[in-house]
Amino acid sequence: MRVRTAGKRTVVAAWVVALAASTLAAAPVGANAAASTGGGSGGGGYSAADLRVDLAAVRAAGGGDINVVARLDRQGQAPLRARYGTAGLGSTAPVPWDPEFRTASTTKTFTAVVVLQLVAEHRLSLDDTVDHWLPGLVSGHGNDGRRITVRDLLQQTSGLYDYVDDPDIQDRMINHFDENRFDDTPPAQLVAIAMGHPPLFTPGGGRWAYSNTNYLLAAMIAEKASGGQSWQELVEHRVIAPLGLDHTYIPDADPYLVGPHERVTITGPDGKPLDLTDQSFQHTADSGVVSTPADLDTFFRALATGKLLPPAQWAEMRTTVPYDDLPVPPAGTQGGYGLGLRVLPLSCGGTYYMHEGDGLGVYGRPAVSADSRRAVTVAITTTTALIDQDKVNRAVEALTDHALCDEATS
């Protein structure tokens, strides 16, 4: 799931506290450390101190009062780690080094991998229509599953309305969160909500628009093509277990995280913290994976090395169309959206792969260099208000560029 944005700011209830400009510029405080004092391969490369500086800039961009953790894994070297903040809700304990968090839309990369594995096994085709697998499900209000392919779903070129944008769902998530925190609406019902709205455009015209609905449908197709395995089982058996991702799991409608994590809070209308941590909203194939920075680095490095997909499907995954929903990275040109994967340029040349995750007060930014030698993940949780995503994305893009280019910041 990705929370709707408007004017490049997250849509929040009117009572969410705005962060002061002076706080945005403040130097971050709180517990921080690094697991390694080693820098990059050349001695003058990216170091633990550089990671702390860049992560401090991320925290400042988010208001100076968010919890942030970053981990950089490097081939043949010890990982670098940095953190700012506490475990939340009055705790003086520092943010866990490798906290579990809801990966939100980073789940889409996991889902896309299992769909592409099924394509490699000839159980389905990227050119299959939605109606071929789910007859009659995508229809009404101008929606037509006969014109939308599996590729359209994975590449966000279907034009289907994003169910998260539905006014009733927005109202439940934002204005009535506490009463609805255990919402476990089945995917088919969420698709039906999307079908109550006309599509944004007809597929095939080269247009792109992000829609969580696409990945609900992709997972439903994968379940049919696999002979009845759930999308959770597909991800667990085909990705999580083979890679040994010991702290990655899919809680489904279970609202609780089982390992070390931070409490996610915003300031409520009564001035007290509203705890967003325990919730079931993110239980579907667009948003339902829980993971850690270390596991996400492992997952994206495995993807980049070809461990998860045969060459043909890995090439398909990296074939992109333009997107327009993230800032232009430091390289100066925009990236593209593949099949559940973003491909972005690096200022030092080459590219990197990533997929952001924007949930309810939790934001993940995993990325890996195209040569798989370096992977970095930034995890952010709120304490008082939801972040200005545009500012934070720019700061994270700078950190990612420095880390993957092995570029010292001072």
Side-chain angles (χ1 to χ4, degrees):
M1 179 186 296
R2 191 168 70 167
V3 178
R4 180 170 63 96
T5 59
K8 293 191 176 180
R9 288 191 62 91
T10 303
V11 175
V12 297
W15 47 262
V16 172
V17 177
L19 294 164
S22 59
T23 306
L24 288 172
V29 296
N32 70 82
S36 169
T37 57
S41 58
Y46 198 73
S47 69
D50 292 323
L51 183 59
R52 289 197 296 271
V53 168
D54 277 343
L55 191 62
V58 172
R59 194 174 193 230
D65 193 28
I66 57 175
N67 297 321
V68 289
V69 177
R71 179 183 173 109
L72 170 62
D73 280 283
R74 308 164 298 164
Q75 184 174 304
Q77 300 180 72
L80 301 183
R81 303 184 296 178
R83 62 183 178 182
Y84 291 96
T86 69
L89 278 181
S91 171
T92 59
V95 176
W97 273 125
D98 200 34
E100 292 181 357
F101 64 96
R102 301 181 196 279
T103 69
S105 283
T106 303
T107 298
K108 292 177 173 65
T109 308
F110 287 81
T111 300
V113 165
V114 298
V115 171
L116 286 166
Q117 287 178 349
L118 293 170
V119 170
E121 295 163 12
H122 306 291
R123 300 199 190 191
L124 62 89
S125 167
L126 289 172
D127 296 322
D128 288 346
T129 66
V130 173
D131 207 62
H132 171 79
W133 288 101
L134 307 170
L137 186 63
V138 175
S139 60
H141 294 90
N143 296 290
D144 188 350
R146 297 170 299 179
R147 305 185 67 173
I148 299 169
T149 66
V150 174
R151 187 190 306 276
D152 287 323
L153 298 178
L154 297 182
Q155 196 146 48
Q156 309 281 15
T157 54
S158 72
L160 292 175
Y161 182 86
D162 189 345
Y163 76 88
V164 175
D165 286 345
D166 180 78
D168 181 61
I169 288 181
Q170 285 282 305
D171 185 56
R172 278 186 278 154
M173 285 197 303
I174 295 171
N175 300 318
H176 300 282
F177 175 84
D178 226 11
E179 306 100 291
N180 294 285
R181 67 167 64 239
F182 304 122
D183 187 308
D184 61 351
T185 304
Q189 285 184 231
L190 297 174
V191 170
I193 289 170
M195 293 306 103
H197 300 268
L200 303 181
F201 53 82
T202 300
R207 296 182 63 183
W208 182 92
Y210 197 98
S211 175
N212 290 283
T213 308
N214 289 326
Y215 276 76
L216 302 186
L217 291 164
M220 293 166 75
I221 290 170
E223 289 173 344
K224 279 204 167 185
S226 69
Q229 286 185 285
S230 69
W231 79 270
Q232 295 95 328
E233 291 171 324
L234 289 168
V235 171
E236 288 164 354
H237 297 166
R238 291 170 171 265
V239 179
I240 295 174
L243 295 182
L245 304 180
D246 293 336
H247 299 283
T248 301
Y249 56 98
I250 303 171
D252 199 20
D254 186 337
Y256 305 108
L257 304 183
V258 300
H261 60 277
E262 306 124 83
R263 304 307 296 181
V264 184
T265 58
I266 56 176
T267 302
D270 57 1
K272 298 178 180 179
L274 174 62
D275 192 342
L276 307 179
T277 314
D278 303 328
Q279 50 97 353
S280 301
F281 276 114
Q282 294 167 244
H283 65 278
T284 46
D286 58 331
S287 61
V289 170
V290 170
S291 192
T292 65
D295 275 7
L296 287 175
D297 281 0
T298 298
F299 168 63
F300 275 88
R301 289 186 73 185
L303 187 60
T305 57
K307 289 182 179 178
L308 291 172
L309 292 172
Q313 283 67 46
W314 176 223
E316 292 275 17
M317 194 174 200
R318 292 174 291 150
T319 301
T320 66
V321 295
Y323 64 76
D324 58 4
D325 63 334
L326 290 181
V328 174
T333 56
Q334 191 58 283
Y337 198 95
L339 305 183
L341 192 72
R342 295 188 194 259
V343 182
L344 285 80
L346 286 166
S347 64
C348 55
T351 58
Y352 70 95
Y353 313 124
M354 64 87 70
H355 201 299
E356 77 291 347
D358 298 325
L360 296 167
V362 183
Y363 312 87
R365 297 291 183 272
V368 63
S369 58
D371 63 8
S372 77
R373 295 176 63 85
R374 289 178 161 246
V376 62
T377 294
V378 178
I380 300 164
T381 56
T382 60
T383 59
T384 56
L386 304 185
I387 64 170
D388 182 324
Q389 288 178 324
D390 188 68
K391 287 183 177 180
V392 169
N393 281 334
R394 292 179 190 278
V396 174
E397 283 182 347
L399 182 156
T400 301
D401 196 73
H402 293 154
L404 298 185
C405 283
D406 193 17
E407 175 185 295
T409 61
S410 59

